[in-house]
Amino acid sequence: MKNYAIARIKKHTSVKSASYLVNHHLRLAEVPNADPHKAKKNELLHQVDDIQGFLNDVPKGSKKNACRFVDVLFTASRFDTRQQFEDWKKASWEFAKKTFGEDNIALAVVHRDETTPHMHIIFKPVNPKTQKLGAGHWFDGRAKMQKYQDSYHKAVGHLGFDRGEPGSRAKHKTIKQFYRDISLAQQEVQAFNKAFHLIEQEVKNVSLWDRFNPTKLHQRVRAHLVTAYSSAKKILLAKQVLETEKTNQKNQELLEQISAVKDKLEMVTGMENPTYVDLEKFKAKIRVLEPTPAERDPKEGAPAPQPPKNSPLRGLGGESNQVARPKI
């Protein structure tokens, strides 16, 4: 499996956002995805006395809308040994000083309290040729970005890291987007479990009246199935997102919950290991919540709708009833 060296940048045109980033990088604010017990492993490589003042000191002649500072991230897919990590840390820091200019760097830290170790660097993009703000000197256009990526790989590639595909248009999620997706997935898991519990209760508490007139029971079960289907579809899509990211303990727990959801879906749909595509096919079998004309008037003689084959919901009424009669 390839082990990529990763270098990302985020340009900021306002110094106001620096306050949040500095608090995050120095762990002065709570970081949900960081383990506080590992905070002592973090390292401060460099810090100017007054970061905010340093970034507010704009060279004369700079444009008003110029990039005020750049937040840089260095990391890798994984670190196989402690020595590889230490060598990567040294090489990345030397690359940063040489590339951005040590005098331009406001803050440099290494975080080891998250899933994968990484380095954050905040620097003021003073163009060495013009002595004015100008992040374009390093990152203006695809050609310069590719050159920047090439130079970083040259600095750390000899340590066993691969170069990403040149010209790739892959997009990366922000930390905020990633944790928002996790939060939504957790909500959908709860909604699915509630709907499935209600289905189980409906099946468990089938009354004698429901056996003679199953129409309303079918309607109630369908309502819960629609809710479960809607949540399950979103959960399975979230699973794809989580499995493409390095999973920490919280992510792993959520994946285990999603696995339990899939087990329940097998029971409801009668499908083995149902996928998102399977759920789309199953959607047609759920049907709309409104009862059909035949259900409104049993005299028309149309058979009551049945859940999919092999589903525990089959046989809630009619001659095919296989549910044990309740004790009276």
Side-chain angles (χ1 to χ4, degrees), residues 199-217:
I199 292 173
E200 290 177 326
Q201 292 301 309
E202 292 287 1
V203 175
K204 182 179 179 181
N205 300 317
V206 175
S207 67
L208 189 60
W209 175 251
D210 287 331
R211 295 177 185 282
F212 286 107
N213 184 16
T215 301
K216 291 186 177 181
L217 174 63

Side-chain angles (χ1 to χ4, degrees), residues 87-156:
D87 291 342
W88 164 87
K89 179 179 66 176
K90 181 179 179 180
S92 295
W93 176 227
E94 291 300 322
F95 170 80
K97 291 188 291 184
K98 180 180 178 181
T99 303
F100 309 131
E102 188 171 3
D103 292 340
N104 293 331
I105 298 176
L107 179 67
V109 296
V110 174
H111 289 159
R112 296 180 60 194
D113 58 351
E114 297 179 60
T115 304
T116 305
H118 54 273
M119 181 183 298
H120 283 290
I121 292 175
I122 291 179
F123 81 97
K124 183 165 58 176
V126 179
N127 188 323
K129 296 180 179 180
T130 64
Q131 294 303 310
K132 301 175 183 178
L133 290 179
H137 173 74
W138 296 273
F139 314 117
D140 188 15
R142 291 177 61 84
K144 285 189 178 181
M145 280 300 300
Q146 183 168 327
K147 182 180 179 181
Y148 168 69
Q149 295 284 353
D150 288 339
S151 61
Y152 179 63
H153 180 257
K154 184 177 179 180
V156 300

Side-chain angles (χ1 to χ4, degrees), residues 63 117 125 128 140 158 168 226 246 272 274 285 308:
K63 294 181 180 180
D140 188 15
H158 65 284
S168 171
V226 169
K246 275 284 187 180
E272 182 177 358
K285 298 181 181 180

